[in-house]
Each structure stands twice: as C-alpha cells, then as structure tokens.
Amino acid sequence: MSNNNNKSKSAISLQESWASNISDYILLRRQQTHVAYDATDANTNDENGRIDKLEDSDLFTALFVILAAHLEEGHTVLTVDTADHEAPMQGQINGEIVTLYTWQQNLLEILATPIFALIDTQIKTQLDTQLDDDTTTETSLFVLLDTLFGQRDYLWAQLALSNHEKGTLIKRFDAITTLYQRFKNSDLSTFVHSIHEYALFANVNANTDCNNYQNSLSKDNQPIIYNIAKNKETQGSKITFWLHRTWQAEFNLAQHINHILNQQIVPLDITMPENLNDQQIAAINVANNNAFSIITGGPGTGKTYTVAQLVIALQQATESRGNESEHIRFSTDSASLALAAPTGKAAQRMQESLQAALDDANVELQLQEAKTIHRLLGIGRTGRPRYDANNQLGEDIIIVDEASMLGVELANYLVSAVKPGARLILLGDANQLAAVDAGAVWLISVAFRYCNPYMQN
C-alpha cells in the first residue's frame, strides 16, 4: 500500500499543479472587480457572482485545468471534434441512465485521469469483473465514473493523504462532478451557448482583424480563447481552445513572420556550384531572395551541405561586390553570421558539420561559434530575452538548425529579434525531433493557421 500511496501523491502533485489555484484566483478577482466598479449594486453583483460560480465558473475551471495539463504535455491547444449526426453513448452512472457524446467523454477522461490513477488494485479488479470482453472503451468510462462516484469514501480511506493533498483531491473530484452534471444528457449546442455567454471566454473571430493582423483579445484579458470551425473530414464542428498566453504567442509569431516576409532583400549575385541538384539550387535561391526561408528534408537529404554551399556562395558574392556589398561580413571578427540551435548538442553538431563541409570545399572560412538560441537571444534566469523587437540582433544572416524543436514562445522571441533586412534560415525535419517546449509548430504551420494569403500562396 505504501507504493500505491507514493504513486498517488505523485499523481496529485504533478497533475493538479498550479491550474486550479490560478483559475480560482481569476474568478475571485473577477467578482471583486464587479463589486468595486458597481458598489451601488453590490448585492446584485454578489448574487451574480454566486450564479457564475454555480452555473458557468465550473466550466471555466474545468477547461482551464485541462488546457494547463495539455500545456505541460507540450500542446498549446485543446481541440473538441464532433462528427455530423453522431449518436451519444448510453450508460448507467450513479443508478441513472445517462447519455454522453464522444467529445464529452474525452474531456471528462482528461479531467479525471489523475483521480483514475488513484484507484488501487482492488478497485481495478472489481472493474475488470464488471467489464465484459465486448465492452467498448466508451462504455468503460461510464463504469469508471460510476465506480469513482460510488467508491469515493473507500478510495480516500485507502490513501494516506495529507490535508493539502486531500484538499487538492476534493477540488479535482468536485470539478469532475460538476462537469459531468453539465454534460450528461446535453449536446454541443448547449456547450457552445455556455462558452459564448460567459465573459471569461473570447471568440477569435469576434476579436481579431485578419486583414490588418490586429489582435484585440489582449485588451479584454479573457483567460481562454476559442475558435469554432467546420471539420471538413467529419462534417461536424471543431472547437479549438487556447490559454490566452499561448494564443498571444502564436498570434505574435505569425505577425513577426509576416513582418519578416515583407522585408525587402537585395539578392546577391551568386554562382551556383556545379554539383548541386535542382532542389538544392532552389533552396539556395529562396534563401538568397527572401528574408525568411525554410530548408526541410529527412536525414541524408543534404540540408547541411546545401547550407554550406549557401554560405560559400553568399561569401563569394559579397567579396566580389566589394564596397557595394550589403555589408554582410563573414570574417572571424564579425558576428554577422549567426549559427544557432535549440540545444547545446545540436548547436555543436551544426558547427562541426558546416565547418567540415567548408573545409572539404577548400574554403578558408572560420565560422562563428554556434550557440543555443537562449544564448543567442541572451535569455537568462528571468526567462526574458536581452534581444527582442526593441533591441534586435545585429547579425545579417541567422541560420537555425533542428528548428522542429522550437516551441511557440521561443520561436516568437527569435523571429521578433531579427532586424530589418536580415535573413532568417531555418533547417529541420517535422518527422524528427519534437519541440522542447509547448507548441510543436515547426513555425510555418502557425502562420498558416491565421488568415495570411501571402503565406498560403
């Protein structure tokens, strides 16, 4: 039982974390603000606050906790998918026959996972005897919830919990209960109506001007952002949720990429090596003619070799133009060529591979030391970069390897620090290394999410 207790405590501390405390604080501050700004009708505001807590605040708390759990797992969004003409599943919970759609079961399962982890071997054995071989995954959730609600006191009796851990467990259990009560025998239209009417949710389409790339969501400070669209595959609805911070980071990233793309670059007159294939020539031309470019491909496709040839070609073109060059310098004393990667090992590997390619081509060029992106941007203990939109990097060319490892916020810091007229070249493979932080964006996918005709073309 001691091993189970240790496992249980771990599950509670890791899964609950900070999310429910922050959501409680947001709700408290909202109620206090209502009272402060409408003191003449404080009683009415207090009553409204209680109504929110009972009818809508539980939905906000549940989705906030689920989004926070997703963020800790590296996902910046929560997606609710429904199929056209989908029939709900039926089962018995607490002696009552109820219906739940698949998307409702998915949300309940995410919220209840830390509690399910606390169900000990004895209860799981009881469940196994209740489940037939033909029982579906959806049906098993009904049994789990029925057991969870019915075995609550027994479960706590089996666990040696501190008062803090017990309080955390109660909060999560209450969140599951209220979300279940909201979902049972209801449909998507009821869910959509609730988030439309509640002030702590903001609709993307109602607050974003896609033509002017302006975002007004930050003015209203809604903690959860959502977007409702048609799912072309299932012909149903698709609802995407963000925490405000991750939405803001993605929106800003798309804006910064748009800004870089609109920068005017003077192409250098480069001479292509004869041993390049058509794709490598195209990659070099794209990087020479654009401020923002991506070179992608699987292992062994020649990404590093192509970049080495690009560096050689740009160096030769710069030297041939003399004083008329656009001031791209490649000398050892200059920091105008920056090499970077998300991790120290990737940066070292990038440096060695590029230098070896240059040496093999008999090019006398000592590259600058490749850095981690954190070091390049001057991100220290505070987590804030030294170089940003207001204090941009001085490099003329920035080459980033293993860019598939970039999370949304680090990518946003990077692209915002690129000065006008500089080239940002990203190397990577979406099927290789995943993002270190939240948001496996592979950068360009974020820009496609927003209404940007230039990027889509």
Side-chain angles (χ1 to χ4, degrees):
M1 182 61 69
S2 61
N3 289 335
N4 285 340
N5 287 342
N6 292 334
K7 187 176 180 181
S8 300
K9 292 179 180 180
S10 254
I12 294 172
S13 61
L14 289 175
Q15 295 291 338
E16 187 65 23
S17 66
W18 46 270
S20 61
N21 291 334
I22 291 181
S23 64
D24 288 346
Y25 174 77
I26 291 172
L27 294 170
L28 177 63
R29 290 294 297 163
R30 178 172 181 261
Q31 184 175 0
Q32 290 174 340
T33 301
H34 279 195
V35 173
Y37 280 89
D38 196 5
T40 57
D41 196 15
N43 292 331
T44 303
N45 279 292
D46 287 341
E47 182 180 351
N48 289 339
R50 288 193 295 271
I51 292 173
D52 282 346
K53 186 64 180 176
L54 291 173
E55 296 185 358
D56 288 313
S57 298
D58 62 279
L59 179 61
F60 166 75
T61 298
L63 289 177
F64 193 92
V65 169
I66 292 173
L67 279 165
H70 260 45
L71 190 63
E72 291 176 349
E73 295 173 358
H75 308 293
T76 57
V77 300
L78 169 69
T79 302
V80 173
D81 277 313
T82 65
D84 191 26
H85 304 303
E86 175 189 1
M89 298 290 296
Q90 188 178 73
Q92 181 172 309
I93 299 178
N94 260 357
E96 179 185 12
I97 301 298
V98 299
T99 59
L100 291 171
Y101 287 91
T102 300
W103 63 269
Q104 294 171 324
Q105 296 177 55
N106 291 338
L107 292 180
L108 283 168
E109 186 173 4
I110 295 173
L111 192 63
T113 293
I115 306 293
F116 290 159
L118 303 181
I119 299 179
D120 66 10
T121 306
Q122 183 175 349
I123 296 181
K124 288 181 179 178
T125 302
Q126 295 175 7
L127 292 181
D128 292 338
T129 60
Q130 295 179 43
L131 296 176
D132 299 327
D133 293 336
D134 297 332
T135 302
T136 63
T137 302
E138 288 80 8
T139 304
S140 67
L141 181 67
F142 284 90
V143 179
L144 281 170
L145 289 175
D146 184 52
T147 304
L148 183 63
F149 294 147
Q151 298 278 357
R152 171 177 173 172
D153 293 337
Y154 173 79
L155 172 63
W156 288 351
Q158 298 300 307
L159 300 173
L161 300 176
S162 66
N163 289 335
H164 172 73
E165 290 167 339
K166 186 175 180 180
T168 300
L169 181 61
I170 291 174
K171 287 177 66 175
R172 178 59 69 97
F173 188 92
D174 289 345
I176 298 167
T177 303
T178 52
L179 187 64
Y180 161 72
Q181 293 295 335
R182 173 183 290 274
F183 278 172
K184 69 175 184 180
N185 304 324
S186 68
D187 55 16
L188 184 68
S189 61
T190 305
F191 179 67
V192 170
H193 177 75
S194 296
I195 62 177
H196 268 315
E197 294 298 318
Y198 196 40
L200 293 180
F201 293 86
N203 191 328
V204 167
N205 296 326
N207 291 273
T208 306
D209 184 351
C210 291
N211 295 322
N212 297 321
Y213 310 115
Q214 293 179 351
N215 171 25
S216 63
L217 292 173
S218 57
K219 298 177 182 178
D220 299 324
N221 294 320
Q222 287 104 327
I224 297 180
I225 314 300
Y226 70 94
N227 180 48
I228 302 177
K230 186 78 171 179
N231 189 323
K232 296 180 180 179
E233 295 182 0
T234 64
Q235 299 303 310
S237 296
K238 179 178 181 179
I239 310 177
T240 305
F241 293 94
W242 295 262
L243 290 176
H244 188 281
R245 175 174 174 173
T246 55
W247 157 261
Q248 191 71 61
E250 288 191 3
F251 187 92
N252 291 344
L253 176 57
Q255 274 195 315
H256 289 309
I257 292 178
N258 290 331
H259 180 71
I260 295 176
L261 283 168
N262 291 328
Q263 293 293 319
Q264 295 298 317
I265 294 294
V266 179
L268 293 170
D269 186 14
I270 61 178
T271 302
M272 292 290 180
E274 296 180 355
N275 59 341
L276 297 182
N277 59 40
D278 292 341
Q279 287 184 326
Q280 291 172 323
I281 292 174
I284 291 177
N285 280 327
V286 168
N288 185 34
N289 289 276
N290 295 276
F292 179 76
S293 55
I294 289 179
I295 299 177
T296 184
T301 54
K303 296 189 298 294
T304 301
Y305 180 77
T306 301
V307 172
Q309 298 304 314
L310 171 64
V311 171
I312 293 171
L314 291 176
Q315 180 206 23
Q316 293 172 345
T318 302
E319 291 175 347
S320 67
R321 292 177 63 174
N323 293 332
E324 296 179 359
S325 71
E326 56 172 312
H327 305 295
I328 297 179
R329 298 157 300 178
F330 291 88
S331 67
T332 338
D333 298 330
S334 166
S336 290
L337 173 64
L339 305 177
T343 67
K345 183 177 290 187
Q348 181 181 1
R349 188 167 55 245
M350 176 192 193
Q351 167 104 27
E352 294 171 350
S353 299
L354 279 178
Q355 191 65 59
L358 294 175
D359 294 342
D360 291 342
N362 296 320
V363 175
E364 296 182 0
L365 175 62
Q366 184 64 40
L367 292 172
Q368 289 286 324
E369 177 189 4
K371 304 175 181 178
T372 64
I373 297 176
H374 284 76
R375 184 179 170 195
L376 176 69
L377 298 176
I379 299 177
R381 295 181 179 179
T382 63
R384 305 299 300 179
R386 175 185 176 189
Y387 297 99
D388 54 21
N390 298 318
N391 180 34
Q392 294 178 314
L393 294 165
E395 285 81 359
D396 298 301
I397 299 178
I398 302 170
I399 302 175
V400 178
D401 197 11
E402 302 292 3
S404 63
M405 298 175 69
L406 285 173
V408 173
E409 293 201 11
L410 186 59
N412 187 36
Y413 288 151
L414 174 65
V415 297
S416 66
V418 177
K419 71 178 183 180
R423 289 175 172 85
L424 177 60
I425 303 169
L426 305 180
L427 313 177
D429 178 9
N431 298 319
Q432 291 295 310
L433 299 173
V436 176
D437 298 315
V441 294
W442 189 203
L443 285 182
I444 200 69
S445 62
V446 174
F448 273 114
R449 179 178 293 170
Y450 303 99
C451 36
N452 182 0
Y454 181 84
M455 290 292 292
Q456 292 175 2
N457 291 336

